[in-house]
Amino acid sequence: MKLSIIKFLVVLGILFFLAPLVLTSLSAGWRWPMLWPAEISWRSWEYLFSGQSQTGIAVFNSLLIACGVTIVNLGLAIPAAYGLIRFPLKGKLIVQIILFAPLVIPPFVSLMGIHFTFIRLGLTESLPGLILAHLTPTLPYMIWALLSSYRTVGPEWEEQARMLGANGLQRMIHVVIPFLLPGILAGSSLSILVSLSQYLITFLIGGGQVITLPILLFPFISGGDPALGAAYALLFIGMAFLALFILDCLLKWSYRRVN
Amino acid sequence: MILRKIFTSVILSVLVALMAGCTSQGQDQEKSQPSEQTTPLEKSWEEISSTAKGKTVSLYMWGGSDSINRYIDEWVAPRLKEQSGVTLKRVPVNDTKDVINQLLTEKKAGKTNGSVDIIWLNGENFKIAKENQLLFGSIAPKLPNVQDYVAMGAPDLQYDFGIDTEGMEVPWGKAQYVFIYDSKHVAEPPKTIDELKDWIKQNPGKFTYPAPPDFTGSAFLRHVLFETSGGYEDFLKPFDQQIMDEKSQAAWAYLNEIKPDLWRKGETYPESLAKLDLLYSQGEVWMTMGYDAARASNEIKKGTFPESTRTFVLDKGTLANAHYLSISFNSAQPDAAMVAINYLLSPEAQIAKFDPRHWGEDMVLEPSKLSTEEQQQINSIDRGVATLPAEALAKHKIPEIHADYVDYLEKEWKTNVAKD
């Protein structure tokens, strides 16, 4: 009973913040001091769904990159966090500082160098290049989330499995990973969300040739077309929710299979 | 331990692969550079058009207006494809500076087959692009439509915010400063800055301007400077602090003289053009201004400005600037890019752009150079009651001055006018 009231309030709160976006996306000339838009216009949604607006390919690219980024992140962060927790390492602090540096240092600092290097490597204007470039702002979140999950797995669990004859891979899959699931979920969610919202990295490394949703969205927001900005923002929110929902289902399903 | 070994070997092999890729890429580029030297600037237009067939070019342009986007995607692209076989791909950009940065890095990295073919730019971005040699070259003399219809020598097209275009960019559209007034309250709009002063004194509290460095407010200062110092011509020369200190005295005197009769007695100024427009639409002031000649009509249509809104320009002219199209230094398809730009400057594409149903923006073509049918077509386009006829606007144009003057005026306004 109590839980459903909280749920209800949360949904109400979300709708409260979404309502102005919906109204703005449908309005034509909504200015202070009018309480409601004077006229309803479908202009922004018509444009958004028109064949020329590249909305479909943008959503597809955004999701594809976010998925790719998250998979690579998992591949890098699971061993990295494991190493940081389990092995005595000289200068561990320095390694941690380097791994978490992108959280503190503005991405623009490294972006120019990455862009330069990627041009030499022929990685610009391609999906693999973008996935690699999106690792910079997302990997620290993944490592951070996994580090805290690893702290919940005592080495005793692994020792026991080892004594029962499980090899390294089996211990990883059957013993360690189930403990990590909450961290994987948190890290993947952050990695997806941060990747979805990248503008400058995508524009520079993608060279404008890979269209993602922020590439379409940003000009409308800063260019003063609130109706189209709002319509694209709603689409963005929908896309992010969908991605997180699928991720959640996927992880729950795999958790059940492992056990 | 096994995990660790696997991990180390994976990392090592990735690093080796990256390094191998790096060196081979570098060699490729060195090899391919000399063969790229055949420049379309030496070819005839027929050769350029035939090379262009079947190619795709990317136009990098600000993507914040659905009507402009639609004009390119739905009006221009299909017609260009049909007429010349060139596919035009629009790439939405938030800030043209990002494209300039991209080209700067590409230049440094030696990238030769760039994907930025055409850029839409002006002012500061053109200055950086020109200084860093990010542009393809002097393309204007090659384009038939530029030669036939555009008055390239005109000061408002030749100089892009005080910088000589040298044909490296081709004008695509124009913006001109107009004053907007409510004809219900202003029977006879002023024709000079001096007449404006008289009007302000007779109607205290009904005029103000956006506080510089607002773009529009800053342009108002320039109009005052030009008319109080005897014309804009002196400011096309390189900036000189001493001369400027002298010449600006009359302008500061003028602005301080009108100050007590401004809205709120000049104690405060609207911080942006949007705020001034709001004051105007609510009838608090009777004039506003801005760089878009067709804006007043559009606002009447939207219902924000009163029906009696009209516009005027000064007898000695108002500031006009142009925005341009250019080709990047490393465009992979310079021939097709030239064909596309040439089409964007054709009478049919420019007349469609002029039509408010598509975009509603000023043409860069000389109306007198067009055929009689085309002129009739232009005259039949309804630009709205408040928009001045194209000839009236064209006769009252003055060019933008160098950015150094603009900075100076904005800074000095704070000490000379805003402070008591």
Side-chain angles (χ1 to χ4, degrees):
Chain A
M1 190 58 204
K2 216 177 189 177
L3 201 71
S4 66
I5 290 176
I6 292 176
K7 263 189 191 164
F8 176 75
L9 284 176
V10 166
V11 171
L12 203 72
I14 292 172
L15 288 181
F16 179 77
F17 287 111
L18 285 185
L21 272 182
V22 176
L23 281 178
T24 309
S25 76
L26 290 174
S27 68
W30 188 19
R31 299 168 48 256
W32 192 87
M34 293 179 224
L35 190 55
W36 302 105
E39 242 181 282
I40 293 292
S41 147
W42 292 96
R43 176 184 66 98
S44 59
W45 292 99
E46 262 167 36
Y47 177 77
L48 195 145
F49 286 113
S50 72
Q52 304 288 356
S53 67
Q54 299 178 289
T55 310
I57 186 78
V59 170
F60 177 78
N61 280 340
S62 293
L63 290 174
L64 196 68
I65 293 167
C67 282
V69 167
T70 307
I71 290 166
V72 178
N73 266 335
L74 281 171
L76 290 173
I78 290 177
Y82 189 77
L84 280 174
I85 289 281
R86 284 295 150 80
F87 302 112
L89 185 69
K90 257 186 208 164
K92 191 181 270 189
L93 188 71
I94 292 173
V95 173
Q96 271 176 327
I97 287 174
I98 292 173
L99 284 175
F100 292 132
L103 290 183
V104 200
I105 300 169
F108 198 76
V109 176
S110 55
L111 187 56
M112 284 302 154
I114 294 176
H115 187 203
F116 183 81
T117 315
F118 275 25
I119 291 175
R120 302 304 299 257
L121 294 173
L123 279 169
T124 48
E125 295 160 31
S126 69
L127 284 171
L130 271 180
I131 290 173
L132 278 180
H134 278 199
L135 291 181
T136 327
T138 53
L139 184 61
Y141 291 106
M142 189 66 107
I143 295 180
W144 200 343
L146 286 176
L147 271 181
S148 45
S149 275
Y150 266 117
R151 294 207 177 91
T152 64
V153 204
E156 301 83 7
W157 290 96
E158 276 175 89
E159 276 162 23
Q160 193 172 12
R162 193 180 193 164
M163 278 193 286
L164 292 169
N167 66 30
L169 197 66
Q170 285 171 324
R171 292 201 301 272
M172 198 69 196
I173 292 173
H174 296 285
V175 182
V176 180
I177 300 270
F179 277 100
L180 293 185
L181 271 179
I184 291 178
L185 181 63
S188 304
S189 309
L190 283 169
S191 148
I192 285 178
L193 289 178
V194 172
S195 162
L196 285 182
S197 56
Q198 292 305 318
Y199 173 78
L200 200 60
I201 294 183
T202 313
F203 185 82
L204 277 183
I205 305 296
Q209 297 291 311
V210 182
I211 301 292
T212 64
L213 205 49
I215 300 280
L216 297 180
L217 166 77
F218 266 55
F220 287 116
I221 290 189
S222 58
D225 191 331
L228 262 159
Y232 270 107
L234 284 168
L235 182 71
F236 185 86
I237 294 170
M239 179 182 77
F241 260 103
L242 183 77
L244 292 186
F245 180 74
I246 293 173
L247 175 77
D248 192 46
C249 291
L250 217 67
L251 280 178
K252 275 182 187 153
W253 173 77
S254 61
Y255 184 74
R256 253 181 266 131
R257 281 206 46 178
V258 168
N259 290 296
Chain B
M1 284 313 269
I2 295 169
L3 267 179
R4 206 185 190 177
K5 264 182 202 157
I6 294 172
F7 193 53
T8 327
S9 54
V10 165
I11 285 195
L12 276 178
S13 51
V14 166
L15 279 178
V16 168
L18 278 180
M19 261 141 69
C22 203
T23 46
S24 68
Q25 190 74 21
Q27 282 162 359
D28 284 350
Q29 267 161 4
E30 273 153 37
K31 268 183 222 155
S32 65
Q33 243 162 5
S35 63
E36 301 269 345
Q37 292 304 317
T38 46
T39 164
L41 295 178
E42 287 158 8
K43 291 191 218 163
S44 73
W45 184 249
E46 284 72 34
E47 282 174 279
I48 294 172
S49 323
S50 66
T51 327
K53 273 204 183 80
K55 303 275 166 56
T56 299
V57 283
S58 295
L59 164 57
Y60 281 60
M61 56 182 279
W62 177 72
S65 156
D66 59 332
S67 51
I68 298 177
N69 293 351
R70 280 185 168 217
Y71 167 70
I72 295 294
D73 294 337
E74 292 168 16
W75 201 95
V76 174
R79 283 170 178 79
L80 175 68
K81 173 99 190 170
E82 197 191 305
Q83 291 184 11
S84 60
V86 173
T87 308
L88 184 65
K89 194 175 136 198
R90 180 180 58 82
V91 175
V93 173
N94 184 36
D95 186 342
T96 309
K97 261 198 191 89
D98 295 341
V99 185
I100 300 296
N101 277 331
Q102 183 185 343
L103 288 174
L104 276 172
T105 316
E106 288 186 1
K107 177 121 202 167
K108 209 171 66 178
K111 184 175 163 121
T112 47
N113 57 336
S115 51
V116 183
D117 295 303
I118 308 173
I119 334 165
W120 182 23
L121 78 177
N122 76 352
E124 188 68 12
N125 289 318
F126 173 66
K127 188 179 165 209
I128 300 170
K130 192 183 168 191
E131 279 168 359
N132 292 284
Q133 286 144 15
L134 301 179
L135 303 175
F136 191 77
S138 189
I139 49 172
K142 277 277 148 190
L143 306 180
N145 284 334
V146 173
Q147 295 310 312
D148 292 349
Y149 304 113
V150 183
M152 277 306 283
D156 62 328
L157 297 180
Q158 176 80 41
Y159 294 93
D160 181 355
F161 278 82
I163 296 171
D164 194 345
T165 60
E166 292 176 32
M168 289 178 172
E169 51 173 13
V170 177
W172 186 30
K174 285 181 187 179
Q176 185 168 2
Y177 199 89
V178 293
F179 289 88
I180 298 170
Y181 69 102
D182 188 343
S183 60
K184 207 167 69 191
H185 302 291
V186 189
E188 190 97 347
K191 288 192 178 63
T192 64
I193 285 290
D194 264 340
E195 283 180 36
L196 177 67
K197 182 168 75 184
D198 299 337
W199 183 85
I200 293 167
K201 283 187 174 164
Q202 285 153 22
N203 300 279
K206 292 300 176 192
F207 183 89
T208 187
Y209 53 94
D214 173 84
F215 189 65
T216 309
S218 175
F220 177 73
L221 292 192
R222 294 199 287 277
H223 287 105
V224 173
L225 173 74
F226 295 162
E227 296 213 0
T228 53
S229 71
Y232 68 89
E233 290 85 354
D234 292 342
F235 305 101
L236 295 174
K237 294 172 203 152
F239 182 77
D240 184 322
Q241 173 94 33
Q242 252 182 336
I243 294 173
M244 206 41 206
D245 281 340
E246 262 169 55
K247 292 218 168 184
S248 59
Q249 287 313 316
W252 307 132
Y254 176 97
L255 291 168
N256 282 318
E257 202 185 329
I258 60 170
K259 200 171 164 185
D261 292 317
L262 292 181
W263 173 74
R264 291 236 198 136
K265 298 192 169 69
E267 282 158 8
T268 180
Y269 294 83
E271 67 198 26
S272 65
L273 178 61
K275 291 274 162 67
L276 177 60
D277 279 353
L278 191 67
L279 292 175
Y280 176 77
S281 60
Q282 290 167 351
E284 279 215 45
V285 296
W286 292 340
M287 281 192 199
T288 175
M289 52 197 83
Y291 264 107
D292 183 351
R295 191 169 61 101
S297 299
N298 292 337
E299 295 291 333
I300 295 176
K301 229 187 276 170
K302 277 194 216 161
T304 37
F305 282 4
E307 293 278 340
S308 48
T309 297
R310 297 291 180 272
T311 56
F312 70 91
V313 288
L314 300 169
D315 270 357
K316 283 192 180 153
T318 52
L319 285 166
N321 60 54
H323 48 83
Y324 300 79
L325 293 169
S326 188
I327 301 179
S328 76
F329 74 97
N330 64 357
S331 161
Q333 309 293 351
D335 303 85
M338 282 164 80
V339 169
I341 293 180
N342 189 55
Y343 182 69
L344 286 164
L345 286 159
S346 66
E348 61 164 349
Q350 287 275 316
I351 291 171
K353 183 164 78 80
F354 183 68
D355 191 332
R357 282 175 304 167
H358 290 119
W359 181 345
E361 198 213 29
D362 257 356
M363 293 188 299
V364 287
L365 310 183
E366 278 297 298
S368 59
K369 290 186 177 172
L370 299 173
S371 70
T372 31
E373 292 115 73
E374 283 159 351
Q375 289 185 18
Q376 275 164 2
Q377 209 183 333
I378 293 168
N379 291 333
S380 69
I381 291 173
D382 179 18
R383 298 195 79 201
V385 278
T387 313
L388 293 172
E391 307 95 74
L393 287 168
K395 265 185 218 149
H396 296 98
K397 267 184 186 161
I398 52 176
E400 294 285 353
I401 52 174
H402 204 275
D404 293 338
Y405 291 103
V406 180
D407 289 344
Y408 174 90
L409 286 174
E410 287 169 2
K411 226 179 283 156
E412 291 294 308
W413 179 81
K414 279 206 180 82
T415 39
N416 286 302
V417 182
K419 273 187 201 156
D420 281 318

